[in-house]
Amino acid sequence: MAALVALLLMMRERWKSARISHQLQVVSSEKRALERGDALTGLLNRKGLDMALDVMASAGPHGVVVVLLDHYRRLRQAFGQEFSDFVIKLAAQRLGSCLPPGATAAHLEGGEFALAIPGGKSDLLEVAELAFQQLALPVQSAKGQLILAASMGVATAGLPEDRGRLIEFASLAAERAGTGLNGEGKICVYDPAFAEEARAQAFFLNDLREAIENKQLRLLFQPKVDAQSLQITAAEALLRWQHPVRGNVAPGVFVPMAEAAGLMGVLGRWVIEESCRVAANWRAMGLRMRVAVNISALQMQEEDLVDHIAQCLGRYGLQPNRFTCEITESVAMQHTATATATFERMRSLGLHVSIDDFGTGYSSLAALRRLPASELKVDRAFIADLEHSEDARSIAASIVSLGKALNLKVVAEGVETQGQCELLMMMGCDELQGFLFSKPISADEMTGMIKGTSQDDGPESLPFSESLFMNTTLSNL
């Protein structure tokens, strides 16, 4: 009897041990599945995709298509996490429906997906085209009709050393597709030259970081003149970078790079600080000139932007209404919660707000009336053709009339000829800006131009508005 009891106890312990072992195996299996999968979409994650590519590599030709949802970050900022999750799930479903036998899909992060596909380049391109079409199908949502646009990069496995870099190569191609550098298409096939360009960009970005840290960038200023008297009344601060090897680097090259690298915050703050410092120096000379700075879309999303401007103005003893924030029309029409709050803070502080590049976006009268704007700047594209195009003259005249109806000052930028100047004066434009009057120049050159002390090779003198050219006193600060 004792032996039977001992046997039963031993069997129970073995059963318990086997059950625990099975449970541990289940937990371990589930853990591995979770490690390889994406909880939001049910697709693979990066680790799972790497494992799938390892399997494909042993089976034959294969490649990767990386899919980048266009403007996903902006969409998330505008509509919130819940809606952006809905978009990601929808994209995952549509991409999954495009997969041929043996292929798999992964959600890497944010609006980035990857498709691992067996076959050669033509097979990958066929899937990419289908995915592009599927994503573009309209869908009704609580936010209205939605159309998902995407940029896609294709990379096929070639040399053995490429095996671990397929996703990286496809991502480079997708980024290139997003910039439009590969033409009109939104699908780009990886070229080894892309990697060399990426390395060069990395070194270039490092140079930019050093230039920002060492204060090697500078501000130039382009005057704005009164359209009737042609006297200088204001100046726009323009950021410039003189690279020690590349020479003068255009803002259109390094500003987007700064934005992508998260450097625009510190760069934008420096521009505001330096503009205030220069304006204070001018004021000490009796030149009470309004100074304008360009505010980017990323800066409009900074909750403390207006606080920083207020601090700089206070530090240099400047009035808010003599500091202009130039915001492009497309940015001004982005009704995100943060941007709307930023506009309200600008209104409360009393800043002079200008809607830049006006005429290129889709402003409504209602939206313009709500903004705390005091000024519209007619985009230079309409100014260039004024003397030769009736359409350009009609558009410019309409913008001037619209500005007057809304009680806004109208500024025309890109004025380069006397004929353009005369036409804009007849239209009733308030201020003019462009090479006809001066190219962007240093603060010292601006001072010399105004005071008539420019050197022989410097800019020609321009009169300064007498209403502003006076000794600064406490009563007119």
Side-chain angles (χ1 to χ4, degrees), residues 84-106:
S84 63
D85 285 350
F86 163 75
V87 170
I88 292 298
K89 291 176 183 177
L90 175 65
Q93 293 170 3
R94 293 190 171 185
L95 291 173
S97 70
C98 303
L99 297 178
T104 189

Side-chain angles (χ1 to χ4, degrees), residues 193-435:
F194 297 172
E196 184 60 38
E197 290 178 11
R199 284 190 286 271
Q201 287 288 334
F203 285 118
F204 194 30
L205 178 58
N206 184 65
D207 291 345
L208 178 58
R209 291 182 190 276
E210 291 183 354
I212 294 173
E213 291 175 3
N214 299 326
K215 296 181 171 55
Q216 294 172 354
L217 285 84
R218 61 178 181 146
L219 288 184
L220 297 183
F221 296 86
Q222 188 172 39
K224 298 178 182 180
V225 304
D226 178 77
Q228 299 307 315
S229 67
L230 299 185
Q231 294 180 322
I232 297 176
T233 57
E236 179 181 357
L238 299 166
L239 187 61
R240 295 293 184 265
W241 180 21
Q242 187 70 24
H243 191 278
V245 177
R246 297 170 180 257
N248 184 44
V249 182
V253 173
F254 72 83
V255 168
M257 185 185 302
E259 290 180 338
L263 299 174
M264 201 59 218
V266 63
L267 190 55
R269 288 170 181 270
W270 178 82
V271 170
I272 292 168
E273 177 85 26
E274 182 67 6
S275 298
C276 288
R277 186 191 67 80
V278 171
N281 287 344
W282 279 333
R283 192 195 62 176
M285 300 176 193
L287 308 178
R288 297 178 60 251
M289 186 150 41
R290 178 180 285 123
V291 174
V293 300
N294 293 283
I295 304 296
S296 71
L298 290 177
Q299 286 177 285
M300 286 297 291
Q301 298 300 324
E302 296 175 356
E303 294 183 353
D304 61 345
L305 170 67
V306 179
D307 291 337
H308 176 67
I309 294 174
Q311 290 168 6
C312 291
L313 294 175
R315 186 157 45 248
Y316 292 101
L318 302 173
Q319 283 189 320
N321 63 2
R322 303 216 61 74
F323 187 87
T324 299
C325 294
E326 293 198 1
I327 302 163
T328 63
E329 182 184 11
S330 58
V331 172
M333 293 302 108
Q334 292 175 12
H335 301 301
T336 66
T338 306
T340 300
T342 299
F343 272 125
E344 287 305 315
R345 294 191 188 103
M346 288 179 173
R347 188 197 306 274
S348 299
L349 184 59
L351 294 170
H352 186 263
V353 176
S354 175
I355 307 301
D356 198 5
D357 298 340
F358 189 80
T360 60
Y362 303 95
S363 298
S364 67
L365 288 176
L368 279 175
R369 291 182 63 190
R370 286 195 300 269
L371 294 175
S374 305
E375 178 180 294
L376 295 181
K377 289 190 76 174
V378 186
D379 186 71
R380 64 181 65 245
F382 303 119
I383 306 304
D385 295 330
L386 274 183
E387 297 175 273
H388 315 291
S389 169
E390 181 62 36
D391 288 343
R393 289 192 291 273
S394 297
I395 292 172
S398 297
I399 293 175
V400 173
S401 298
L402 174 62
K404 298 297 183 182
L406 295 173
N407 199 29
L408 301 174
K409 178 183 292 185
V410 181
V411 180
E413 60 181 343
V415 181
E416 297 185 356
T417 70
Q418 188 61 37
Q420 293 169 352
C421 177
E422 292 173 358
L423 285 168
L424 291 164
M425 291 171 70
M426 287 189 293
M427 290 177 190
C429 207
D430 295 293
E431 288 184 343
L432 308 174
Q433 178 182 354
F435 280 19

Side-chain angles (χ1 to χ4, degrees), residues 173-188:
E175 290 172 5
R176 191 176 182 88
T179 64
L181 293 176
N182 61 310
E184 294 299 321
K186 296 287 283 183
I187 300 173
C188 179

Side-chain angles (χ1 to χ4, degrees), residues 12-207:
R12 186 178 69 176
E13 289 302 318
R14 288 181 177 176
W15 176 79
K16 285 173 61 178
S17 177
R19 185 179 65 177
I20 291 172
S21 177
H22 174 70
Q23 289 174 337
L24 288 174
Q25 289 176 358
V26 170
V27 170
S28 179
S29 176
E30 291 176 347
K31 182 175 181 293
R32 287 195 299 270
L34 287 172
E35 289 175 346
R36 297 193 300 268
D38 177 64
L40 178 62
T41 62
L43 303 179
L44 295 177
N45 59 16
R46 175 59 187 264
K47 184 176 182 179
L49 181 63
D50 287 337
M51 295 175 67
L53 287 172
D54 286 342
V55 174
M56 283 189 184
S58 63
H62 65 286
V64 170
V65 176
V66 163
V67 180
L68 300 178
L69 297 185
D70 294 343
H71 313 301
Y72 170 75
R73 180 180 176 185
R74 187 176 298 172
L75 181 146
R76 186 181 60 195
Q77 291 172 338
F79 299 110
Q81 190 65 49
E82 183 179 352
F83 184 67
S84 63
D85 285 350
F86 163 75
V87 170
I88 292 298
K89 291 176 183 177
L90 175 65
Q93 293 170 3
R94 293 190 171 185
L95 291 173
S97 70
C98 303
L99 297 178
T104 189
H107 178 217
L108 302 184
E109 61 177 355
E112 184 175 6
F113 296 83
L115 313 178
I117 302 166
K121 183 172 74 173
S122 60
D123 300 301
L124 271 71
L125 284 172
E126 183 178 344
V127 174
E129 290 284 359
L130 179 59
F132 189 85
Q133 295 170 11
Q134 287 296 312
L135 286 176
L137 293 175
V139 61
Q140 294 298 327
S141 72
K143 303 294 183 181
Q145 182 169 284
L146 176 69
I147 295 178
L148 299 180
S151 303
M152 301 189 186
V154 175
T156 54
L159 300 174
E161 56 266 30
D162 293 346
R163 178 176 171 182
R165 305 187 64 189
L166 269 181
I167 302 173
E168 174 190 334
F169 292 161
S171 292
L172 281 172
E175 290 172 5
R176 191 176 182 88
T179 64
L181 293 176
N182 61 310
E184 294 299 321
K186 296 287 283 183
I187 300 173
C188 179
V189 178
Y190 173 76
D191 186 292
F194 297 172
E196 184 60 38
E197 290 178 11
R199 284 190 286 271
Q201 287 288 334
F203 285 118
F204 194 30
L205 178 58
N206 184 65
D207 291 345

